[in-house]
Amino acid sequence: MKESNIWICTCVHLLLYMTVAAYSSEIGNPITDDIKKISLLKQNIPKDYKITLRYIPKEVSGMCWVKLNVFHLEVSLKGLAQKFGNISSNKDNIGTLVQILQEMRYHIGHGLEDSMLEFDCHYVNEMWLTAKYFEFVEDFFNTANSSRDVEDCEPPPCPTSTKTTVTTTTTASTTSAQHSTNEKRNGLPDDPEKGELSYKCLQSSLLCASKG
């Protein structure tokens, strides 16, 4: 009789463990020791590296902060990985983080694209030095591990523009130079085809930037 009770208790505990594991997988929280590789990357990558990231601040995204940043963080890390050779440990460690983010996107589902488009006017582009960039990465994964995804994300009103349109006559070369300067100031490359993500690409599918 005692052996039967022990077997029943064992089965119950096993079922509870499987339920919790399946639930964690469903919401896509990357509960893994691989996240510890972030500190290694922070130490191995030169401090004067400037890393581009398109992100949305917490103050305007609320509980949806993780959901709204997962895709652009993945794109940013993939761009960073391009700076290292195939045998570099940095590239391997970054690849591990990218894989975690891709799995998170898979569990979030197709609604991610619509949510990102709704919040589009709140995204900002930055170029951060290594330390600040990986502080953001650590904050992202820690927040992802301690919070649950929210289905509905309500964006606040878009910020109003106070810019005044001024009509001027310029040469084509001057306009091109100004455009290039603005791109560099905003942390974007001169060639738009080499950027993190075009708006048109985002509208068509998030999967287009995950190729390669």
Side-chain angles (χ1 to χ4, degrees):
M1 185 66 178
K2 290 183 178 180
E3 292 181 356
S4 177
N5 289 337
I6 292 174
W7 175 248
I8 292 174
C9 290
T10 301
C11 290
V12 169
H13 282 102
L14 180 60
L15 288 172
L16 286 173
Y17 172 80
M18 292 175 63
T19 301
V20 172
Y23 179 73
S24 298
S25 175
E26 181 181 351
I27 62 177
N29 281 351
I31 305 174
T32 170
D33 290 338
D34 288 330
I35 298 176
K36 296 178 181 178
K37 295 180 179 180
I38 297 174
S39 60
L40 295 176
L41 288 167
K42 188 188 298 185
Q43 297 173 15
N44 293 340
I45 296 178
K47 295 181 180 179
D48 58 352
Y49 260 46
K50 290 186 177 180
I51 309 170
T52 303
L53 175 66
R54 179 173 172 81
Y55 75 103
I56 191 164
K58 283 186 175 180
E59 56 266 24
V60 297
S61 56
M63 296 296 292
C64 296
W65 184 73
V66 170
K67 177 178 181 178
L68 294 170
N69 282 302
V70 62
F71 175 73
H72 287 298
L73 180 57
E74 176 190 332
V75 173
S76 177
L77 285 169
K78 289 173 74 173
L80 179 61
Q82 299 287 328
K83 299 180 181 291
F84 303 100
N86 293 329
I87 62 174
S88 170
S89 61
N90 287 337
K91 190 166 189 174
D92 288 340
N93 290 336
I94 293 172
T96 300
L97 298 179
V98 169
Q99 184 176 2
I100 295 173
L101 293 172
Q102 289 174 339
E103 291 173 356
M104 290 178 66
R105 283 202 297 114
Y106 172 79
H107 288 293
I108 292 173
H110 297 293
L112 175 59
E113 183 175 354
D114 292 335
S115 296
M116 291 175 63
L117 289 173
E118 290 176 357
F119 278 82
D120 184 70
C121 63
H122 296 289
Y123 282 94
V124 293
N125 297 293
E126 297 282 357
M127 284 192 75
W128 285 336
L129 293 175
T130 300
K132 185 174 182 180
Y133 177 82
F134 282 106
E135 284 176 4
F136 179 93
V137 177
E138 287 178 328
D139 188 19
F140 176 89
F141 282 108
N142 288 332
T143 304
N145 280 335
S146 61
S147 63
R148 293 190 57 183
D149 183 43
V150 179
E151 287 290 334
D152 296 324
C153 301
E154 291 295 331
C158 289
T160 57
S161 176
T162 58
K163 296 181 179 179
T164 303
T165 303
V166 179
T167 302
T168 58
T169 303
T170 59
T171 63
S173 59
T174 303
T175 302
S176 176
Q178 290 175 342
H179 181 65
S180 177
T181 301
N182 289 335
E183 285 181 326
K184 291 178 180 179
R185 186 184 299 116
N186 292 326
L188 298 174
D190 291 336
D191 184 356
E193 293 183 358
K194 296 180 181 179
E196 287 182 88
L197 177 69
S198 68
Y199 183 75
K200 185 179 295 183
C201 176
L202 175 59
Q203 285 183 314
S204 60
S205 173
L206 293 178
L207 296 177
C208 62
S210 301
K211 295 180 181 179

